[in-house]
Amino acid sequence: MSGVRDTTMVPLHRTPDAGRTLVGLSLFGGGTAAYRPWTAGMPAGTDLVVLCYPGREGRFTEPFARDWDELATGVTESLRTADLGPYVLFGHSMSGWMAFDVAARLETDEARKPEALVLSSCNAPDRGLTDSERFPTHQDDDERLLEWMGTYGLLPPHVREDDDLTELALEVMRADIAVRDTFVHAGARVSVPLQVFSGADDPLISADVGSRWGGLTSGPYRHDVLGGGHFYTPEIWRALPSRIAPIHSVASGSAS
């Protein structure tokens, strides 16, 4: 993870003689904070880096991406230029779609594409945005957005208790809604090993999530159903790296 010291590729965990890096993408409507509980339980030999989207945290002076393609292009370029070595790419919820899109864009770049792709709490994108994925909407008032963010873990108590932080959180959420609403699946597929997680009690996830994702990869594939809802349970989320097969097998193809 040498050289990864900027506000875009945020290093959260370093380990001596790391053989690979787990790269998480910022959450839509949030940033890197959701990954911090992972630092206490990272597998041996694995660094943890979170790619921060523009307009938040250390990149708050940068303008938000105007649409999906602009954000995906920026994420792709950041991965192409980062000094990561072998890495596994992770995305949760709408950032799962972003991780999938970016991995597809890197398919022909043998030197920079991820060794494996891990997606969490997201439907397969081949049918486009469903009604559940279009919620919340840009028409929702602030209280409605705050309620949704609180329900899905994007509004820590210390943020809700601070008016300035709450205003910033709403600004990020509205910017990310605008990006989300421009997403179009144009037939992208991947060939790298793919692992998908979904919550047994997540109302946002369709019953056919496993089979649909399986149709979007030509590589080794597995689907794991975990307890809880969109963020599983706090205990499962905190220990999620221990369930990521590629960082234990070094993406050897055992994720099948």
Side-chain angles (χ1 to χ4, degrees):
M1 201 164 61
S2 173
V4 184
R5 294 181 178 273
D6 58 41
T7 56
T8 298
M9 304 295 293
V10 181
L12 295 188
H13 176 80
R14 298 174 185 268
T15 186
D17 303 317
R20 73 204 69 89
T21 301
L22 177 60
V23 178
L25 300 187
S26 287
L27 300 191
F28 265 62
T32 66
Y35 291 97
R36 295 191 181 277
W38 289 11
T39 60
M42 288 298 298
T46 304
D47 286 337
L48 175 63
V49 170
V50 181
L51 193 154
C52 184
Y53 297 151
R56 68 211 71 199
E57 297 183 10
R59 302 182 71 187
F60 73 96
T61 60
E62 300 179 41
F64 293 110
R66 292 165 295 182
D67 57 34
W68 185 278
D69 184 67
E70 182 179 321
L71 182 57
T73 298
V75 172
T76 303
E77 190 58 27
S78 293
L79 289 171
R80 279 201 170 108
T81 57
D83 182 14
L84 290 171
Y87 72 98
V88 172
L89 186 60
F90 175 91
H92 180 83
S93 194
M94 288 304 296
S95 279
W97 283 14
M98 180 59 65
F100 176 76
D101 187 346
V102 169
R105 292 171 185 235
L106 291 169
E107 269 288 309
T108 59
D109 191 338
E110 290 296 328
R112 295 298 182 178
K113 71 180 183 179
E115 289 198 328
L117 179 62
V118 182
L119 308 177
S120 169
S121 292
C122 54
N123 291 311
D126 54 337
R127 64 173 131 209
L129 285 163
T130 63
D131 288 344
S132 65
E133 280 137 2
R134 290 188 183 277
F135 185 80
T137 72
H138 67 274
Q139 295 101 337
D140 288 328
D141 62 24
D142 288 353
E143 285 306 314
R144 182 66 164 153
L145 284 183
L146 291 171
E147 178 186 359
W148 187 90
M149 293 165 70
T151 299
Y152 289 100
L154 297 175
L155 197 69
H158 76 276
V159 173
R160 190 66 178 97
E161 293 165 2
D162 184 296
D163 290 344
D164 290 338
L165 292 178
T166 297
E167 184 177 350
L168 288 172
L170 285 167
E171 185 179 8
V172 169
M173 189 74 246
R174 291 194 182 281
D176 286 354
I177 289 171
V179 167
R180 177 204 67 191
D181 287 351
T182 64
F183 172 80
V184 176
H185 179 253
R189 290 172 54 86
V190 296
S191 62
V192 297
L194 172 61
Q195 182 176 13
V196 173
F197 294 115
S198 61
D201 302 319
D202 188 350
L204 302 180
I205 300 302
S206 64
D208 62 352
V209 61
S211 60
R212 292 191 77 101
W213 272 118
L216 295 180
T217 178
S218 60
Y221 169 68
R222 65 182 286 167
H223 172 218
D224 296 314
V225 180
L226 307 179
H230 200 60
F231 277 91
Y232 316 115
T233 67
E235 296 75 21
I236 289 175
W237 176 260
R238 188 162 49 246
L240 200 63
S242 69
R243 298 174 181 267
I244 295 177
I247 62 176
H248 294 280
S249 63
V250 197
S252 65
S254 64
S256 59

